[in-house]
Amino acid sequence: MKIAENTLGLPYHVDERGFYGRFGGAYVPEMLYPNVEELQNRYLEILREPSFQQEFEQLLRDYVGRPSPLYFAKRLSEKYGAQIYLKREDLNHTGAHKVNNTIGQILLAKRLGKTRIIAETGAGQHGVATATVCALMNMECVIYMGAIDIQRQAPNVARMKMLGATVVAATSGSQTLKDACNEAIRDWINNPVNTHYILGTAAGPHPYPDMVTRFQSVISEEIRKQLEEKTGNPNPNYVVACIGGGSNAAGTYYHFLNEPDVKIIAVEAAGKGVHSGHSAATTQLGKLGIIHAAKTLLMQTDDGQITEPYSISAGLDYPGIGPLHAHLYETGRGTFLAATDDEALAAAYELTRLEGIIPALESSHALAKLGEIPFKPTDVVVVCLSGRGDKDMETFIRNLPNK
Ligand SMILES: *Cc1c(COP(=O)(O)O)cnc(C)c1O
């Protein structure tokens, strides 16, 4: 397990102040200082404990089902003229990569002496992954969710309740994800001693982006081992992932960040088109701002109001981007592309027919850009298949092509 390696001073890793280049930091209200400082001071020391690593590794293996396979997609490879491998995070318990992070954070919460967990969720995927580990660890679990999202995502709300979580509706503002975040932060301010806030992506105040990235870095750690076995070289030519806040992407890139031969491709959600006014392509449309207590690229109006994002896939429907990715974009280390709703849907149908795998709509955005990357036939390409498509069946059926 390499999650606790010392990376201080390495490019593309967080510095001691919590920054990636000019992005990151912890712009939290004063009343939240004690909670965030406790995490900043303790997280690396806890991740380095042998007992922590042993428990994390064992749960990832026996409960989540890791290592997830690295699958050589033969027919997809023929179609795009490269050697394409899929990292099968869709086969994890609960159906996506999010559980890697919630397992890590609940083990951390236990070691901090916390007895109560809170989280925010939009589509409910992170809420389900959090409620799952709370059931596993017998912890009280409160999930904040926008009132509109609660109506839109009834099956996930039911799952969270069945798992024993209390789902609290955020009824302010647009009654969606950002309002749920505000409610969760309010709760955390009021319960600083017994409560840990499990943030669901590689965003938010330092140390969350680095902490979440370390938990998800098991993805690239496994890719290197699996590629070495399959091809004799641990490094691919390309790693490709979709980006909402950026946790599956950060985990997929982590052990390749300082391998200059490995090209990093990030795919954001263009919604109905990057400039349609219905998009979530943050690097294309965003400017420097502060969202969820971090300085990063952010979709906003000229007077700094956060723009309501849009994507067909709930997991990518976020107006910001984690600070690591803003830095990868600004330095040119990463190439950022954007896939529309229609392109993502087409890619989902294509993977299903070529490989017999129904991908999540989020992951389909990464697949949708394979035709735009100038591959050589010998190029080894790893695409993170961040989740499975069961949760998106309604959307797939509604948009089924007439064939
Ligand atoms: C939540 C989610 C995402 C987006 O979140 P990231 O933090 O950017 O990884 C991507 N894929 C799936 C399947 C998800 O559930």
Side-chain angles (χ1 to χ4, degrees):
M1 263 294 144
K2 298 180 178 163
I3 54 168
E5 273 176 345
N6 182 7
T7 54
L8 209 61
L10 283 179
Y12 310 113
H13 287 270
V14 84
D15 68 19
E16 68 275 18
R17 292 162 42 251
F19 279 84
Y20 301 85
R22 63 183 179 127
F23 304 109
Y27 298 84
V28 296
E30 206 166 326
M31 292 174 72
L32 214 55
Y33 283 174
N35 313 43
V36 170
E37 271 172 10
E38 180 182 38
L39 276 182
Q40 289 174 351
N41 294 335
R42 299 281 315 275
Y43 83 108
L44 281 177
E45 155 208 330
I46 290 173
L47 265 58
R48 287 187 179 129
E49 286 170 12
S51 73
F52 179 93
Q53 295 192 24
Q54 198 192 343
E55 205 177 346
F56 184 56
E57 219 170 53
Q58 188 217 324
L59 283 171
L60 288 186
R61 186 183 62 229
D62 299 338
Y63 187 70
V64 175
R66 304 202 73 92
S68 66
L70 185 71
Y71 167 68
F72 176 63
K74 184 161 174 288
R75 295 185 64 208
L76 194 70
S77 296
E78 280 163 9
K79 164 106 201 214
Y80 290 106
Q83 310 298 309
I84 301 176
Y85 291 83
L86 302 177
K87 183 58 174 162
R88 299 291 308 274
E89 295 301 299
D90 60 315
L91 295 178
N92 292 340
H93 177 48
T94 69
H97 66 289
K98 286 194 170 76
V99 70
N100 303 326
N101 169 47
T102 58
I103 296 250
Q105 286 203 47
I106 200 138
L107 294 179
L108 177 104
K110 274 208 315 192
R111 280 160 176 79
L112 290 171
K114 309 292 180 186
T115 55
R116 179 172 176 271
I117 297 294
I118 57 172
E120 85 298 337
T121 195
Q125 296 300 110
H126 174 56
V128 170
T130 300
T132 298
V133 297
C134 287
L136 179 69
M137 295 294 170
N138 190 25
M139 288 240 207
E140 186 185 345
C141 180
V142 179
I143 305 289
Y144 289 92
M145 194 168 181
I148 289 183
D149 289 336
I150 287 180
Q151 287 168 19
R152 290 194 289 205
Q153 310 290 343
N156 275 340
V157 174
R159 280 187 192 101
M160 286 182 254
K161 289 185 174 164
M162 182 165 173
L163 288 159
T166 305
V167 181
V168 178
T171 52
S172 63
S174 56
Q175 310 191 4
T176 58
L177 181 61
K178 74 173 165 32
D179 313 293
C181 285
N182 292 340
E183 295 293 328
I185 286 172
R186 206 163 298 149
D187 179 315
W188 206 19
I189 288 172
N190 291 328
N191 298 285
V193 177
N194 70 343
T195 298
H196 175 67
Y197 178 13
I198 298 191
L199 211 145
T201 188
H206 176 61
Y208 282 103
D210 184 52
M211 184 165 75
V212 174
T213 297
R214 284 172 187 265
F215 292 142
Q216 294 292 357
S217 73
V218 65
I219 298 174
S220 51
E221 190 184 336
E222 288 175 5
I223 291 173
R224 285 176 66 85
K225 261 193 223 129
Q226 291 166 322
L227 267 187
E228 170 98 69
E229 277 168 22
K230 287 175 200 290
T231 71
N233 184 349
N235 285 352
N237 299 93
Y238 291 89
V239 281
V240 186
C242 68
I243 296 205
S247 69
N248 87 90
T252 303
Y253 306 158
Y254 189 78
H255 290 288
F256 304 113
L257 288 169
N258 290 297
E259 300 284 341
D261 296 345
V262 182
K263 297 185 185 73
I264 289 174
I265 310 281
V267 185
E268 296 180 296
K272 296 183 174 157
V274 171
H275 299 290
S276 65
H278 303 277
S279 160
T282 304
T283 59
Q284 317 259 334
L285 300 169
K287 296 193 308 272
L288 192 67
I290 290 177
I291 181 169
H292 302 150
K295 197 181 270 184
T296 188
L297 294 173
L298 169 64
M299 289 166 47
Q300 53 190 303
T301 59
D302 286 339
D303 51 1
Q305 295 296 319
I306 296 175
T307 312
E308 200 60 44
Y310 165 82
S311 165
I312 192 171
S313 89
L316 304 184
D317 195 351
Y318 181 68
I321 186 169
L324 163 64
H325 300 293
H327 186 52
L328 292 176
Y329 173 74
E330 192 165 78
T331 57
R333 176 67 186 96
T335 300
F336 283 68
L337 307 172
T340 64
D341 290 357
D342 289 347
E343 290 171 333
L345 280 169
Y349 295 122
E350 181 180 84
L351 186 75
T352 303
R353 291 303 180 88
L354 286 178
E355 300 287 349
I357 298 170
I358 302 180
L361 263 170
E362 290 84 1
S363 325
S364 306
H365 285 71
L367 296 163
K369 293 286 116 170
L370 290 174
E372 291 179 23
I373 307 167
F375 295 132
K376 294 197 296 280
T378 51
D379 280 343
V380 172
V381 180
V382 177
V383 183
C384 183
L385 203 67
S386 54
R388 65 176 85 123
D390 307 26
K391 67 183 178 60
D392 300 312
M393 282 315 296
E394 230 183 86
T395 309
F396 289 146
I397 290 165
R398 210 175 329 116
N399 292 280
L400 209 58
N402 311 320
K403 288 192 239 172

